[in-house]
Amino acid sequence: MRIVKVSMIIVIAMMLSFLFLENRDGNDHNFVEGMYRNIKEKTTELEEKAMLEKGPPAKEELLQWIGKSSNKLAEIYGEPNRIDQSAYDYQWWVYNEDYDQYVQFGIEEEKIVTIFAAGKNMQVDPLSIGQSQEEVKKHFPFTDEITYQAGVSSYTFHMTEEDMKTRPLVRWKNDVFIQLYFDSFTDTLSSIRIIDGETLLKHRPYEIVYRGNLPDEPYLSDEEWREVETGMERQILDLTNVYRNYHGVSPLKLDEAVSEVAYLHSKDMGENEYFSHVSLNGDGLKERLAKNEVYYIAAGENIAAQYPDAIAAMEGWQNSKGHREALFSKEYTHIGIGVFRLYYTQNFLTKAAD
């Protein structure tokens, strides 16, 4: 890698010398503008060439992928295991073959706008899953206010005390940010979301004071919403098992019948605008499972609402004592997952061995 960097410096120096010799009698403003454009294009070309020459990148280099093309991602990482639609104009390319190193890339108009990473062996240099807050603070200072400047518009994100404890936002560079998700029970880094400023504004995960315009709230048809919901259900299954693996607990098997029960409860809450483990007709989880003729030894339920996506909902459950107990219980063997709009339900079951 050092050889590549040195080569790039030599090439840039040669380009500068050549351009000054060739353009010394030309218009200075146009010359300088053209010079930097040429250098930028050549530097990008050299960086991409270096990527190809050294093969697939290590996961710790994920920070460098924001702004890169989806074509380059596929060329180096390979095709994703699946593609999930988000509610925010981008698609998630999901690489989920490994519970120890789990990655999702958000692609909008063939460009990477966000990345999510989790798993006990995941490193995003200089960060790694399992680091304490104090260790992370050595690399990124924490502040409860961060401003994003987009042209003449200005957006300041304000974080509460709880935000600072469980999901502080830090700036990596001018228009790229990192959401650091912490497990508040162990005070260790649980997962990492890298995100550009425009995409962060669409999510609106924090209170915002702004001058300018905010992106419109997502408007999706029922069909489009169902596609998004299905993607979030898959991600909740993935992340449930990624987090259980981190804590040394066996993965859960998906049960389609139980997922139907979970989905109908999320839909009932969303359509009737309530939030409770007890349905408006008085039914609890036991009754809902019985109506679908689901047989089990023990059962539990997690619900969540108004989180911007599956990742945020999962981190919310992990940082709540009761939800956490269900999430990491060694007793459960199966799970059903249902998402309707921004209402989320997990149903956990212990079933007899086949």
Side-chain angles (χ1 to χ4, degrees):
M1 189 63 187
R2 185 173 298 173
I3 293 171
V4 172
K5 288 181 179 177
V6 171
S7 299
M8 287 170 61
I9 292 168
I10 292 170
V11 169
I12 290 169
M14 291 174 65
M15 288 172 61
L16 282 169
S17 300
F18 174 77
L19 287 168
F20 273 113
L21 287 170
E22 290 294 310
N23 293 277
R24 59 182 180 273
D25 297 324
N27 181 282
D28 288 343
H29 176 75
N30 291 337
F31 159 62
V32 171
E33 201 172 79
M35 175 185 72
Y36 281 109
R37 184 169 58 251
N38 290 337
I39 290 172
K40 184 177 180 180
E41 289 173 358
K42 189 63 179 176
T43 301
T44 301
E45 181 184 325
L46 288 167
E47 286 176 344
E48 292 182 349
K49 184 179 179 183
M51 279 184 180
L52 289 172
E53 287 177 348
K54 71 178 183 177
K59 297 293 192 298
E60 60 264 23
E61 296 176 6
L62 287 175
L63 280 169
Q64 311 300 326
W65 278 94
I66 292 290
K68 295 287 193 300
S69 74
S70 55
N71 287 337
K72 191 60 61 180
L73 179 64
E75 191 174 358
I76 295 179
Y77 261 75
E79 294 297 325
N81 297 97
R82 69 166 190 272
I83 296 177
D84 295 337
Q85 185 63 47
S86 83
Y88 304 99
D89 301 322
Y90 60 85
Q91 293 181 317
W92 281 118
W93 285 25
V94 180
Y95 293 83
N96 67 344
E97 65 273 6
D98 190 347
Y99 289 153
D100 290 339
Q101 292 186 312
Y102 177 92
V103 189
Q104 298 180 187
F105 293 87
I107 310 292
E108 182 177 352
E109 296 181 353
E110 299 184 353
K111 186 180 76 170
I112 299 170
V113 297
T114 184
I115 304 167
F116 174 77
K120 63 182 179 181
N121 292 336
M122 178 60 68
Q123 291 186 317
V124 183
D125 191 45
L127 305 172
S128 60
I129 299 304
Q131 281 181 317
S132 69
Q133 274 220 23
E134 290 307 310
E135 289 176 313
V136 174
K137 286 177 180 178
K138 293 176 183 177
H139 303 287
F140 295 99
F142 288 12
T143 174
D144 59 6
E145 288 188 3
I146 289 186
T147 298
Y148 165 55
Q149 198 77 31
V152 296
S153 299
S154 176
Y155 306 90
T156 300
F157 301 100
H158 291 265
M159 281 155 277
T160 65
E161 184 177 341
E162 181 65 19
D163 291 335
M164 295 300 292
K165 184 178 180 182
T166 61
R167 52 180 191 141
L169 182 71
V170 299
R171 188 191 305 277
W172 179 56
K173 57 184 183 181
N174 289 340
D175 59 348
V176 180
F177 303 87
I178 306 174
Q179 280 185 285
L180 300 163
Y181 290 109
F182 284 95
D183 181 337
S184 61
F185 288 82
T186 61
D187 192 35
T188 56
L189 190 62
S190 170
S191 62
I192 300 164
R193 190 198 303 249
I194 310 157
I195 189 166
D196 69 19
E198 287 301 308
T199 307
L200 183 64
L201 285 176
K202 293 176 184 178
H203 281 227
R204 302 182 196 179
Y206 309 100
E207 178 186 340
I208 306 175
V209 175
Y210 63 95
R211 184 181 68 248
N213 297 312
L214 282 173
D216 293 335
E217 295 272 5
Y219 178 79
L220 304 174
S221 67
D222 289 345
E223 184 179 347
E224 289 169 330
W225 262 119
R226 192 62 198 122
E227 187 178 357
V228 171
E229 292 158 2
T230 299
M232 291 198 287
E233 290 166 356
R234 292 168 177 164
Q235 291 162 40
I236 288 172
L237 175 63
D238 283 341
L239 293 176
T240 294
N241 286 331
V242 168
Y243 293 171
R244 284 175 68 90
N245 179 65
Y246 180 86
H247 288 277
V249 187
S250 298
L252 300 176
K253 296 178 182 178
L254 184 68
D255 187 304
E256 295 292 350
V258 182
S259 291
E260 178 68 12
V261 173
Y263 174 73
L264 290 175
H265 187 53
S266 289
K267 186 178 182 186
D268 190 42
M269 289 191 293
E271 290 183 338
N272 293 291
E273 298 182 348
Y274 75 96
F275 183 67
S276 174
H277 290 284
V278 180
S279 304
L280 294 180
N281 64 2
D283 285 351
L285 175 59
K286 179 180 177 180
E287 290 76 21
R288 292 193 291 271
L289 291 170
K291 283 181 179 178
N292 274 45
E293 298 183 347
V294 175
Y295 302 100
Y296 58 93
I297 297 170
E301 181 174 74
N302 283 345
I303 58 175
Q306 304 312 317
Y307 286 96
D309 61 9
I311 293 166
M314 282 297 304
E315 289 294 337
W317 280 326
Q318 181 172 236
N319 280 302
S320 169
K321 188 175 186 296
H323 298 98
R324 180 188 183 87
E325 289 174 356
L327 189 60
F328 299 139
S329 172
K330 296 179 180 179
E331 178 183 16
Y332 296 130
T333 58
H334 291 73
I335 188 171
I337 301 160
V339 178
F340 178 81
R341 303 302 190 261
L342 299 182
Y343 287 80
Y344 309 84
T345 301
Q346 287 179 309
N347 288 157
F348 301 92
L349 266 67
T350 305
K351 300 181 81 170
D354 296 333

